[in-house]
Amino acid sequence: MTIEVKNISKSYGASPVLRNIDLKINSGELVSLLGPSGSGKTTLLRIIAGIEEADRGSGAVVFDGEDVSDVDLGRRGIGFVFQSYALFKHLSVFENIAFGLRAKPRRNRPTEAQIKEKVQSLLELIQLSSFAQRYPSQLSGGQRQRVALARALAVEPRVLLLDEPFGALDATVRRELRSWLRHLHDTIHVTTIFVTHDQEEALEVSDRVAVMGNGRIEQFASPQEVYENPANEFVFKFLGNYNVFHGRSGAGALVRPHDIAIFRTSDGDRPDAAQTAVVAHIGFGGPVVKIELESDDKNRVDVELTAQAYHDLKLQRGEKVWFAARRAHSDFPPEYAI
Amino acid sequence: MAGAITARAPISIGSKRAVATESVLARRVLITITVVFLTIFVLVPLINVFNQAFSKGFEGYWSVFFPPQPPDDATLTFSQKRRLAEGAAQAARTWSSIGLTVAVAAVVLPLNIIFGLAAAWATTKFNFRGRALLTALIDLPFSVSPVVAGLVFVLLLGRNGILGPWATQLVWPDPFSLHWVGFENGVWPLAFGRTHTGVIFTPLAIVLATIFVTFPFVARSLTPLMENQGTDEELAALSLGASGWRTFFKITLPNVKWALLYGVILCLARAFGEFGAVSVVSGHIDVNDTMPLRIEKLWNEYNNQAAFTVASVLAFVAVITLVAKSVVEWKAARDAERTN
């Protein structure tokens, strides 16, 4: 199902949360809304779901060409997964997943046997078949989140909306669930929107990423596109760490730590623009080694090397080296241009 | 070893361990003060109630509710007959007061449950202008003297009150006189056998006064829990296509059941025991006596033993309330532990 958000605005009192949002999501796509807290991403998701209403007089939410702005939350055919899981504490895993099926009006409510079959197949999908009779309190965070997903999928929603689905989980479980979600989406192909503030998560999982800041969509493109060709300085800065180099003209150049190369004094292929610096700190981060350089003008320069490159260089703390930017972003249009 | 323990002490300040490091003397003094206080103000009066109630033995206690019946063939003097008739009349009034107390509670409780759920829902799950004011108003009965509350109703609904002309003419059916009349008069087979006129100095006024003093209990016991639970579960149910009613009965109500029961217990205890507000609006008419009012009348008639006997029933209800309250608290705590 395609989802269109047309010129949606939302404000709480006098403070605007969303400003004239336009967004078009293709059928079967997995899109993430990525932004810092306060960027309006969750509000946008809740407006698409029908939990919150857009400002009166602002635009519309359109599902498959049909304006659903005035359709109730329960009739939009959405599956919503909350950051808090919002599992029904007093119901078993089985009953949680069956809730939406049992709530259907009598004439299209499935039979008890059909409900059982459906719940069983969902339990298999989330790999919790043996947990049907457990209560939410007896599950781990990751298991709870999977039950919440199964519960939302049980009613066969036209669109799946996930609000920071992995926000409350620890890093390992997060990574596992992330790739599990990607695989799940490849199997069931339901249009999915998920909100996150985690850049890595958004870039890894999504077909397209909508980077949000200050109530606007700053860029909506594929993960590779937003990372390599950020539309503006905000997107660049939000997507990762960076160094700022001030040239003689006064304009700053922004360089990612992994776009800086380090050379030994003896290296013949060192570019002419290379500057000298001292290795101030070496931080091991597994596959990536984080080097902190102190340049001659006493500025800190962050560099990220692959473990292999680090080993080849055999860097020592306090050593004098040369560094140069392989790639710099400096041609952003000025911010807040009208 | 000792050194290690002293070194640990500052770290554990603020934790449970800190309690154990208080001086033994301070602990003993505090416990003694609490025990002495509770003994003087709770235990001794409670024992005294039962002591006085049984001052004429078990038979005396029993005769307050079931006055002695002479054998049919007994020949009685005039004064004996008079005393028997008097005892029967007193017992009838006592039973009437018990009946009214239970009836008032039976009417007040469902209304309070509905109001309490609505008020707690409104003040915790919605954000609107004047929410803080509404929350403060719900607490008002806690800070207003019940006698003043009773007087307000008299001044509002009494003969010279603002709503007096309407209220004194109001005819209302007695809900406990509803009985089966069959289908002779149409499709509705039930009818009221009794009606009352007026509000003040009738059981309706007692109901109103009792509602006023008891309505905060249910709302107040639900509010913190509902605030804590937020609206995510309800929204999840609604998003799955459940109706508002289904969401309420299947999700909201099970989540607050212990808190609701707790509020109901407190509300009932207060409804049984309320004196001030009820006293003002009852007009001191015998048929409007609830148990506390009946106790006062017996006391004023120097019938101390009977007064304490009726009081002992209320005290017994209070003890049951206390036990029920503890059980509910324990269950709620266990549930809270299980769901976290």
Side-chain angles (χ1 to χ4, degrees):
Chain A
M1 190 185 66
T2 63
I3 298 169
E4 266 180 279
V5 173
K6 288 181 176 168
N7 194 30
I8 287 282
S9 296
K10 172 80 179 173
S11 41
Y12 293 118
S15 55
V17 184
L18 294 175
R19 309 160 196 250
N20 308 96
I21 297 279
D22 279 300
L23 190 67
K24 189 163 189 271
I25 293 163
N26 300 327
S27 190
E29 227 180 349
L30 200 169
V31 167
S32 58
L33 304 179
L34 172 69
S37 56
S39 59
K41 55 192 192 303
T42 294
T43 307
L44 178 57
L45 191 79
R46 288 168 83 97
I47 287 174
I48 294 172
I51 292 173
E52 280 181 51
E53 277 178 51
D55 283 346
R56 212 164 289 171
S58 89
V61 177
V62 179
F63 286 4
D64 264 346
E66 176 203 353
D67 185 347
V68 294
S69 307
D70 296 325
V71 177
D72 271 352
L73 160 70
R75 295 181 188 279
R76 286 197 186 184
I78 54 133
F80 200 97
V81 175
F82 294 83
Q83 183 178 10
S84 65
Y85 321 124
L87 291 179
F88 307 135
K89 296 188 271 292
H90 60 289
L91 297 179
S92 65
V93 166
F94 185 98
E95 288 302 322
N96 262 281
I97 297 173
F99 186 88
L101 300 171
R102 295 197 198 284
K104 280 180 191 285
R106 203 172 293 275
R107 64 196 137 75
N108 42 12
R109 191 184 304 161
T111 64
E112 197 58 33
Q114 286 168 324
I115 290 176
K116 199 164 178 204
E117 197 188 312
K118 177 89 194 173
V119 174
Q120 282 301 343
S121 74
L122 282 163
L123 281 168
E124 271 162 41
L125 186 72
I126 59 168
Q127 297 148 16
L128 288 175
S129 295
S130 55
F131 289 69
Q133 296 315 316
R134 300 261 187 115
Y135 283 85
S137 57
Q138 299 167 306
L139 304 179
S140 73
Q143 290 169 336
R144 287 180 203 180
Q145 193 55 276
R146 268 141 66 194
V147 173
L149 253 167
R151 182 179 68 182
L153 289 172
V155 290
E156 292 175 5
R158 301 190 289 172
V159 52
L160 195 55
L161 305 171
L162 314 168
D163 183 11
E164 301 251 4
F166 314 130
L169 302 168
D170 61 59
T172 327
V173 184
R174 258 181 111 102
R175 272 196 295 277
E176 268 172 39
L177 272 182
R178 209 189 277 171
S179 62
W180 178 79
L181 176 70
R182 184 68 238 183
H183 287 132
L184 181 79
H185 184 259
D186 290 343
T187 344
I188 58 176
H189 277 301
V190 58
T191 312
T192 304
I193 306 178
F194 89 100
V195 159
T196 180
H197 62 261
D198 183 330
Q199 303 87 346
E200 204 185 315
E201 189 168 284
L203 297 177
E204 186 186 317
V205 176
S206 336
D207 295 323
R208 283 196 288 170
V209 181
V211 184
M212 295 186 66
N214 210 9
R216 289 195 187 86
I217 292 183
E218 303 285 355
Q219 189 173 10
F220 183 39
S222 70
Q224 195 177 357
E225 180 71 15
V226 292
Y227 194 78
E228 290 182 354
N229 296 311
N232 54 37
E233 202 170 318
F234 173 84
V235 175
F236 177 87
K237 287 182 171 173
F238 185 67
L239 286 180
N241 297 329
Y242 56 90
N243 295 296
V244 186
F245 295 109
H246 291 285
R248 284 192 195 86
S249 61
L254 301 168
V255 183
R256 296 264 183 236
H258 61 78
D259 280 336
I260 292 177
I262 294 181
F263 305 94
R264 310 309 289 260
T265 328
S266 55
D267 283 350
D269 53 355
R270 148 164 67 84
D272 297 337
Q275 292 174 265
T276 52
V278 174
V279 178
H281 181 77
I282 299 171
F284 291 95
V288 172
V289 181
K290 296 183 178 182
I291 316 280
E292 212 179 291
L293 301 178
E294 197 181 273
S295 65
D296 291 347
D297 42 1
K298 300 291 171 205
N299 283 324
R300 190 181 126 177
V301 179
D302 288 323
V303 183
E304 282 174 15
L305 297 178
T306 61
Q308 188 60 49
Y310 169 74
H311 277 293
D312 292 347
L313 273 169
K314 295 191 185 66
L315 283 182
Q316 299 286 326
R317 201 169 157 179
E319 194 180 355
K320 196 181 168 194
V321 292
W322 295 77
F323 72 93
R326 273 193 295 258
R327 180 157 191 244
H329 295 261
S330 53
D331 46 358
F332 291 122
E335 272 186 274
Y336 307 117
I338 297 164
Chain B
M1 280 305 284
I5 289 165
T6 348
R8 278 180 60 103
I11 301 163
S12 61
I13 283 175
S15 76
K16 277 179 186 171
R17 198 180 295 267
V19 176
T21 59
E22 293 285 350
S23 90
V24 178
L25 181 69
R27 192 177 60 184
R28 281 191 186 153
V29 167
L30 288 174
I31 291 175
T32 311
I33 289 174
T34 313
V35 169
V36 168
F37 190 91
L38 286 177
T39 308
I40 295 174
F41 290 100
V42 179
L43 201 59
V44 170
L46 191 66
I47 291 170
N48 186 46
V49 167
F50 284 93
N51 192 31
Q52 296 275 347
F54 285 99
S55 61
K56 291 180 186 168
F58 184 75
E59 241 161 73
Y61 190 92
W62 189 254
S63 70
V64 172
F65 304 107
F66 305 100
Q69 297 290 327
D72 287 341
D73 53 348
T75 49
L76 299 166
T77 64
F78 179 72
S79 72
Q80 274 176 323
K81 277 184 186 164
R82 212 192 63 180
R83 211 171 324 136
L84 279 172
E86 176 71 12
Q90 290 283 13
R93 277 180 222 139
T94 300
W95 276 114
S96 143
S97 76
I98 294 173
L100 184 63
T101 304
V102 172
V104 166
V107 172
V108 166
L109 190 61
L111 294 175
N112 270 340
I113 290 175
I114 294 167
F115 170 81
L117 279 167
W121 188 284
T123 54
T124 57
K125 308 226 168 183
F126 298 121
N127 218 338
F128 55 91
R129 206 182 290 255
R131 199 177 70 139
L133 182 70
L134 202 65
T135 315
L137 277 178
I138 291 170
D139 283 349
L140 188 71
F142 285 152
S143 51
V144 170
S145 157
V147 176
V148 174
L151 275 174
V152 167
F153 279 110
V154 172
L155 295 175
L156 201 64
L157 301 168
R159 205 165 291 280
N160 300 317
I162 303 165
L163 301 174
W166 169 79
T168 46
Q169 300 302 314
L170 183 74
V171 177
W172 51 277
D174 185 338
F176 293 95
S177 69
L178 198 65
H179 62 279
W180 184 267
V181 291
F183 292 97
E184 281 154 24
N185 308 323
V187 290
W188 186 242
L190 300 170
F192 292 105
R194 255 194 327 269
T195 57
H196 299 265
T197 307
V199 177
I200 291 302
F201 306 149
T202 73
L204 183 58
I206 294 172
V207 167
L208 292 178
T210 309
I211 287 177
F212 181 86
V213 294
T214 58
F215 78 70
F217 287 105
V218 174
R220 280 299 298 269
S221 62
L222 289 174
T223 305
L225 184 67
M226 281 186 152
E227 204 147 40
N228 199 356
Q229 284 177 343
T231 50
D232 279 2
E233 279 186 53
E234 277 84 8
L235 285 174
L238 290 173
S239 79
L240 291 166
S243 65
W245 284 114
R246 193 179 176 86
T247 302
F248 177 75
F249 283 107
K250 296 275 179 179
I251 306 302
T252 308
L253 212 50
N255 271 340
V256 299
K257 62 179 179 215
W258 293 120
L260 181 63
L261 195 57
Y262 187 81
V264 163
I265 290 168
L266 293 181
C267 171
L268 268 184
R270 183 69 195 265
F272 280 149
E274 175 53 29
F275 178 82
V278 168
S279 173
V280 175
V281 297
S282 76
H284 302 283
I285 305 163
D286 282 351
V287 292
N288 288 344
D289 280 351
T290 60
M291 284 164 79
L293 300 183
R294 179 75 190 139
I295 294 167
E296 192 211 15
K297 279 192 181 164
L298 286 169
W299 177 259
N300 287 342
E301 289 163 12
Y302 302 102
N303 199 343
N304 296 1
Q305 182 265 335
F308 274 107
T309 302
V310 181
S312 75
V313 175
L314 277 183
F316 185 64
V317 170
V319 171
I320 291 177
T321 306
L322 202 66
V323 172
K325 198 168 106 88
S326 307
V327 169
V328 167
E329 271 172 352
W330 173 73
K331 288 252 189 199
R334 201 193 54 178
D335 263 23
E337 207 167 279
R338 225 181 39 159
T339 52
N340 278 331

